[in-house]
Amino acid sequence: MNISKKTYGIAVGAAVAALYVALTYAQEALLPGSASMAVQFRLSEALTMLCIFTPYAIPGLTVGCLLANIVSSGALPVDMIMGTFASFLAAVCIYKTRHICIKDLPVVSALMPAIFNGIIIGAEIEIFFIEGPFNFVSFLIQAGCVALGELGVCFTAGLLLVRTIKNKKLVKYLNNI
């Protein structure tokens, strides 16, 4: 059965978005705050590594992040915008750096969510949630905390996901067309 590239792309994006939302929602239900507070370890962020295999994951991750932030408790409109923007930029850069590998692992790609979420969400926390004028040292602390959570997820679950997809030869299903 042949399907068009557009239909395939929409299906992959929708599946990634649904997985992202379901994982985030399940994590929040089991461990409240672990996927939505300032310092978080959102396991669904491991799915950002799917951008290594297909550009169709980029819109899926972007929409998934937006929907997860909408349904998650405590997310404010500013976070829905800034968090989604950070995820989009990270996803694009993961796709662009996918061929830079160390020992067959896309380590540079795995850094992208930490960089973009650290800077953007760190700034968001400092500007919108910390009282008083902008403090660069405080911003670095906020950015560092966000980045550490992202690094933890992307370098454990994310790279494990990449390795599993490659070892099980599932890549052909992700870039089918």
Side-chain angles (χ1 to χ4, degrees), residues 20-175:
Y20 190 101
V21 172
L23 285 171
T24 304
Y25 189 76
Q27 182 179 345
E28 273 298 304
L30 294 171
L31 301 165
S34 65
S36 64
M37 301 306 284
V39 178
Q40 58 184 263
F41 193 83
R42 190 181 276 194
L43 290 172
S44 51
E45 282 290 295
L47 297 175
T48 60
M49 300 308 286
L50 292 175
C51 296
I52 289 167
F53 303 109
T54 177
Y56 301 127
I58 297 169
L61 288 163
T62 305
V63 170
C65 179
L66 175 64
L67 292 174
N69 285 341
I70 288 171
V71 298
S72 102
S73 60
L76 299 174
V78 69
D79 192 46
M80 292 174 201
I81 296 164
M82 302 298 282
T84 302
F85 183 61
S87 290
F88 170 73
L89 291 176
V92 169
C93 289
I94 287 170
Y95 183 73
K96 298 280 186 189
T97 60
R98 69 190 181 280
H99 297 300
I100 304 170
C101 294
I102 298 171
K103 295 190 181 202
D104 199 35
L105 285 175
V107 175
V108 173
S109 294
L111 290 171
M112 295 304 145
I115 292 169
F116 286 100
N117 282 287
I119 293 169
I120 294 170
I121 304 306
E124 173 193 335
I125 293 168
E126 180 60 30
I127 294 167
F128 295 104
F129 301 105
I130 305 294
E131 290 193 25
F134 184 87
N135 181 306
F136 189 70
V137 173
S138 178
F139 158 71
L140 290 177
I141 292 168
Q142 303 305 329
C145 289
V146 172
L148 279 175
E150 290 288 337
L151 284 173
V153 170
C154 291
F155 273 83
T156 56
L159 290 179
L160 179 63
L161 178 64
V162 169
R163 177 73 71 185
T164 302
I165 289 170
K166 286 182 175 182
N167 286 348
K168 300 292 182 184
K169 302 189 181 6
L170 300 173
V171 176
K172 63 184 175 189
Y173 298 109
L174 289 170
N175 50 18

Side-chain angles (χ1 to χ4, degrees), residues 1-8 11 176-177:
M1 172 189 218
N2 285 333
I3 58 173
S4 74
K5 194 172 193 170
K6 182 177 179 181
T7 302
Y8 179 78
N176 192 348
I177 294 178

